[in-house]
Amino acid sequence: MNVWDVVGFLFWTWVFVCYLVILFWVLSDLFRDHQLNGWFKAIWIIFLIFVPFITALVYLIARGGSMGERSGRARYGDGVVPEDYSKPAPSNTPASDIAQAKALMDAGTITPGEFDALKAKAMGGY
């Protein structure tokens, strides 16, 4: 076994792993798609079994544009997809913190002592 045999083995192993990733990506997208009929899902799976490389390539070309949308809906639900994680969350003002603590005290969730501690914390006195 020479160096080129090892390089060839590593290359084909990498190709096989890439194929498996694409295969599982396509399968998860198939089951994630609620608009596609069950029979069409079965047909895609049958073709993935018997003609795997061509079927995966055709799937990525034909349905690849909407794969990202389905993936985003699966990850974030129907809520708003966050645009930028680097922006810090807006901080509350002391008045809104005190109003929130007052609502908790009125609801009986916290005691007046806890309300006073939260109010002092909101005002800057720890």
Side-chain angles (χ1 to χ4, degrees), residues 13-24:
T13 302
W14 178 78
V15 168
F16 181 70
V17 169
C18 289
Y19 167 71
L20 286 178
V21 169
I22 290 172
L23 178 71
F24 288 120

Side-chain angles (χ1 to χ4, degrees), residues 1-33:
M1 187 173 225
N2 61 17
V3 172
W4 291 111
D5 290 337
V6 174
V7 170
F9 175 75
L10 290 176
F11 173 76
W12 288 111
T13 302
W14 178 78
V15 168
F16 181 70
V17 169
C18 289
Y19 167 71
L20 286 178
V21 169
I22 290 172
L23 178 71
F24 288 120
W25 193 21
V26 167
L27 284 173
S28 67
D29 186 65
L30 266 174
F31 289 109
R32 190 180 292 146
D33 188 8

